[in-house]
Amino acid sequence: MKKEVIAEALSEVQDQFIEEAAIEPDAARTEKNSYSPDGENGSEKDEKKDRKKQKKPIVIPFPSGRWVKAGIGVCAAIVLCLTAAAIHEPLKRRSAAKTDYAVSEDMDTGTGGYSGAYSMKAENSAAFEDSYAADMDGEVPMMEEAAEALYDSAPSAAQSSADDVSYREDGAGSPGTEGQTESDTEQKLVYSANLSLQTLSYEETAKGIRDLVKKYKGIIESESESDSNWNWYRSSDSDPKMTLYLTIRIPTEHYEDFLAGLEGSGRVVSRNVWVDNITRSYYDQKAVLKGLELQEERLLSMMEKAETIEDMIAVEARLTEVQTQLNQARTKLSGMDFDVAYSTVNLSLEEVTRYVPQETSSSFLDRLKETCIDAGYTFLGALQSLLFAFIYLLPYAAALLILFLIVRFLYRRAKARRQKKNQ
Amino acid sequence: MKRKDADRIRQYESSSSKRMFRQKGIDMEDKKIIDLFFSRSEQALTELAARYGSLLHSVAAHILSAAEDQEECVNDAYLGTWNSIPPQRPDYLKAYVCRITRNCALKRWRYNSADRRCREFETTLEELEEFLPGADLEQEWTARELGRELNQFLSELSQEDRSLFLRRYWFSDSVKEIASERKMTENAVSVRLLRLRGKLKKHLEKQGFQV
């Protein structure tokens, strides 16, 4: 009874509501005959007119499925990221070319100066070069040859000043300024520099540096290279990829030219130059050497005069000690000579994908402009990283999608079976 | 073709725009058919069958399962329309003939045994039975009052919801048919119908019907 009541209540629904909701089934749509008051069919022309009026709506063949739309969205995102990456690279290279050119210009006008001690070197360079040329016959040796040459020249140098060094018989042998003659007043300066460079083209710059070392007859004392390209995702474009650390010994007379050449090959990030004046310790060492040599001579003459075996043994023991100290002194002195002859440059070269802009002006507009450019690069870099992340995750997403489709298919099949069973 | 026309045609598939599109053409056609009825021309029935025959068959099919019952019901509907127009001149011809067909189908449904009744129609009534008040006092009075409240409830709904409610409970379309027509999932249609029944229940409780 209750269902009948409900059915009757539904019959009371207003016509306009039913009119709104009523839709003719698709299969039953047929062409309507034209209307004429006398009941006869209209002419063919009228039929054609009616057909034109009632012609089927144009269905634009645009896919309306949700998955198709999602796929189109994904493809559009990939195209956008690829475009961003394509734009990114040329922009970086153009910016790098400008920056390198600017750095070179600075170097040409001499605005990249060194720290204070360099002026001292400039003053003494003429005198130094003369004395150095006299010692080394005007040639620049390689590392081992240089060490041997300096070592060989050490005794002659010691001999030339032997007469000028006062030697105390008690063996104290304290070198001091009273032992120095007029020829020993030349300064002994050791030049060193720490330099950090960045470059966009690592291979070219590294090759250029090695060629420069060869050109100035320098030596690469140590070399270390590292590659961080394994990290496919870098947080910013200024993170280094390839890094090269070099310890270079360069002949002191070519030191400044070599530094200028280095700074022109990349962008200087940091520069630290200093000079160690080892004159006092050098001549102290020289005096010690002379004293030990005199001791050795005396002991050798005493050995010849020794009559008893006990005396000979005592002299021999002391002679051995003196000779050991003598060798140490000679090694130390030749090391100092090498340091003076060959300046040290500690170089680190980093490869970057983009130079970090330096704040060269405090003007607000300039800073605003640089901030906007930097934001643009960062955005493009982020899009690039997004694309790589998407490609990286694509296989996993595909696998999950397949799994999801299988589960959905099984669920719908089970549901359909259940519904059939209920009916 | 102008872009405006192309846009309108592109929206033809959606039900709301289809109704809007129809308004302009159907009124004239219905008027012509009603004029034929008034002039007692048999062409009226031919035109009516050609225009709304499939719809009337589907209304009958959703209530009666047997094909001969459906055919008889539709023929009874044509006869009932012929007999009632004139004197009546309905504003909405389609709703009018659908109502006649439905009433004929309901009459048969009452006297049919269970195997000749359409399962879907039974299901729709059962769905509403949970939410509508039980038979009380005079059956005729309750159905009329309930019908009035139902109209009030339907007038407060959006066009979309109203159409959905009537397609399910007046036309007795299955959930699958409604989902495919409206490009929705069956689950979405079921959930919306459940919410509409809940709203109906609240509306009736507010009006004092004991649920």
Side-chain angles (χ1 to χ4, degrees), chain A residues 83-339:
Chain A
T83 310
I87 294 168
H88 195 203
E89 287 297 326
L91 280 177
K92 269 191 312 189
R93 292 192 191 287
R94 208 179 300 159
S95 148
K98 280 185 189 171
T99 310
D100 284 339
Y101 182 66
V103 169
S104 306
E105 275 192 334
D106 288 342
M107 288 312 303
D108 290 340
T109 56
T111 56
Y114 301 124
S115 59
Y118 183 66
S119 58
M120 189 192 298
K121 165 71 170 74
E123 288 169 7
N124 294 330
S125 61
F128 173 74
E129 281 178 4
D130 290 342
S131 64
Y132 183 75
D135 287 341
M136 307 309 299
D137 296 327
E139 291 180 356
V140 178
M142 301 305 289
M143 181 174 179
E144 292 170 356
E145 294 169 5
E148 284 176 11
L150 287 167
Y151 187 77
D152 291 339
S153 67
S156 61
Q159 186 63 40
S160 65
S161 56
D163 297 334
D164 299 322
V165 176
S166 62
Y167 176 71
R168 293 179 190 170
E169 288 195 306
D170 58 3
S174 62
T177 54
E178 67 273 14
Q180 293 181 2
T181 61
E182 291 179 3
S183 63
D184 294 335
T185 55
E186 63 175 296
Q187 297 286 316
K188 295 292 181 184
L189 303 171
V190 176
Y191 294 91
S192 305
N194 287 343
L195 203 60
S196 288
L197 298 178
Q198 281 184 345
T199 179
L200 296 178
S201 48
Y202 174 78
E203 294 295 335
E204 284 173 28
T205 310
K207 186 176 178 305
I209 290 169
R210 290 195 172 89
D211 291 341
L212 205 62
V213 170
K214 248 187 236 173
K215 178 183 169 187
Y216 293 114
K217 305 234 174 19
I219 307 152
I220 295 177
E221 198 172 69
S222 71
E223 184 174 340
S224 161
E225 197 175 38
S226 65
D227 180 5
S228 64
N229 272 323
W230 59 269
N231 184 12
W232 64 272
Y233 174 73
R234 290 183 298 284
S235 59
S236 75
D237 283 337
S238 58
D239 287 347
K241 291 191 290 185
M242 292 295 294
T243 315
L244 178 66
Y245 298 102
L246 293 171
T247 303
I248 303 168
R249 306 303 294 268
I250 203 80
T252 307
E253 73 272 21
H254 300 304
Y255 173 67
E256 33 177 314
D257 295 331
F258 179 71
L259 280 183
L262 277 183
E263 292 177 8
S265 59
R267 176 174 163 164
V268 177
V269 175
S270 72
R271 183 197 303 120
N272 189 17
V273 176
W274 71 96
V275 180
D276 290 324
N277 190 342
I278 60 168
T279 311
R280 189 180 178 85
S281 55
Y282 180 82
Y283 287 112
D284 285 347
Q285 190 66 27
K286 219 171 175 181
V288 166
L289 181 69
K290 284 182 185 9
L292 288 171
E293 283 169 348
L294 286 173
Q295 271 192 29
E296 185 189 35
E297 280 178 29
R298 298 237 177 195
L299 286 169
L300 283 168
S301 65
M302 282 168 71
M303 179 74 106
E304 285 171 4
K305 292 174 186 170
E307 293 175 357
T308 62
I309 292 177
E310 289 82 11
D311 292 339
M312 283 168 71
I313 290 170
V315 170
E316 181 72 27
R318 180 66 189 142
L319 185 63
T320 306
E321 280 178 28
V322 167
Q323 281 176 341
T324 304
Q325 290 171 13
L326 191 62
N327 287 333
Q328 287 172 356
R330 281 181 183 145
T331 305
K332 195 169 175 186
L333 196 66
S334 58
M336 286 179 172
D337 284 325
F338 185 74
D339 287 342

Side-chain angles (χ1 to χ4, degrees), chain A residues 6-25:
Chain A
I6 294 167
E8 279 186 37
L10 284 168
S11 299
E12 299 289 326
V13 171
Q14 291 175 11
D15 282 352
Q16 68 184 75
F17 295 154
I18 297 166
E19 185 80 13
E20 272 177 7
I23 297 168
E24 295 175 20

Side-chain angles (χ1 to χ4, degrees), chain B:
Chain B
M1 179 182 289
K2 289 179 184 174
R3 188 179 172 178
K4 201 168 59 176
D5 293 336
D7 286 342
R8 284 177 53 202
I9 289 168
R10 197 179 305 134
Q11 292 172 7
Y12 182 82
E13 294 299 326
S14 70
S15 56
S16 57
S17 298
K18 205 187 292 185
R19 278 194 296 279
M20 184 181 71
F21 184 87
R22 282 177 170 274
Q23 288 296 329
K24 299 206 171 170
I26 285 173
D27 290 343
M28 290 305 295
E29 289 293 329
D30 287 352
K31 188 179 179 304
K32 287 171 190 172
I33 295 172
I34 292 170
D35 289 341
L36 285 174
F37 271 105
F38 269 81
S39 62
R40 307 316 282 172
S41 165
E42 288 179 7
Q43 180 70 16
L45 290 174
T46 312
E47 289 288 332
L48 187 70
R51 192 165 180 81
Y52 298 124
S54 56
L55 176 62
L56 302 182
H57 272 95
S58 79
V59 169
H62 280 138
I63 298 173
L64 304 166
S65 58
E68 56 269 21
D69 286 344
Q70 294 167 18
E71 193 62 40
E72 216 172 310
C73 176
V74 171
N75 289 333
D76 288 344
Y78 290 145
L79 184 61
T81 309
W82 179 262
N83 290 335
S84 58
I85 303 174
Q88 294 200 31
R89 183 180 278 272
D91 292 330
Y92 302 101
L93 180 62
K94 182 161 66 173
Y96 185 79
V97 293
C98 283
R99 184 191 298 287
I100 294 175
T101 310
R102 190 170 185 273
N103 290 339
C104 292
L106 282 176
K107 273 184 198 164
R108 279 193 182 274
W109 173 76
R110 280 190 202 104
Y111 298 108
N112 275 353
S113 56
D115 58 344
R116 292 174 76 87
R117 291 180 175 185
C118 185
R119 184 66 204 138
E120 196 64 40
F121 183 63
E122 298 274 339
T123 308
T124 61
L125 294 180
E126 281 165 10
E127 281 177 12
L128 287 176
E129 205 175 5
E130 294 176 34
F131 290 84
L132 293 185
D136 186 22
L137 299 177
E138 300 171 23
Q139 178 177 322
E140 196 178 329
W141 177 85
T142 304
R144 198 174 300 151
E145 284 291 315
L146 194 58
R148 203 176 303 156
E149 292 306 321
L150 207 55
N151 279 317
Q152 176 68 26
F153 166 72
L154 289 171
S155 65
E156 290 168 4
L157 293 178
S158 66
Q159 205 169 28
E160 191 73 23
D161 285 344
R162 184 163 52 234
S163 171
L164 180 69
F165 187 90
L166 290 174
R167 291 306 309 182
R168 178 64 180 150
Y169 299 117
W170 203 93
F171 289 92
S172 304
D173 285 352
S174 67
V175 171
K176 193 174 177 181
E177 283 170 349
I178 296 171
S180 67
E181 176 204 311
R182 286 161 190 269
K183 307 282 188 297
M184 291 166 66
T185 61
E186 289 177 36
N187 190 47
V189 171
S190 301
V191 167
R192 275 182 92 168
L193 286 170
L194 182 68
R195 286 182 189 152
L196 287 171
R197 292 198 296 272
K199 267 189 185 175
L200 175 62
K201 183 177 172 181
K202 280 186 188 161
H203 177 85
L204 293 174
E205 282 172 352
K206 219 187 290 181
Q207 300 303 322
F209 276 84
Q210 197 175 1
V211 178

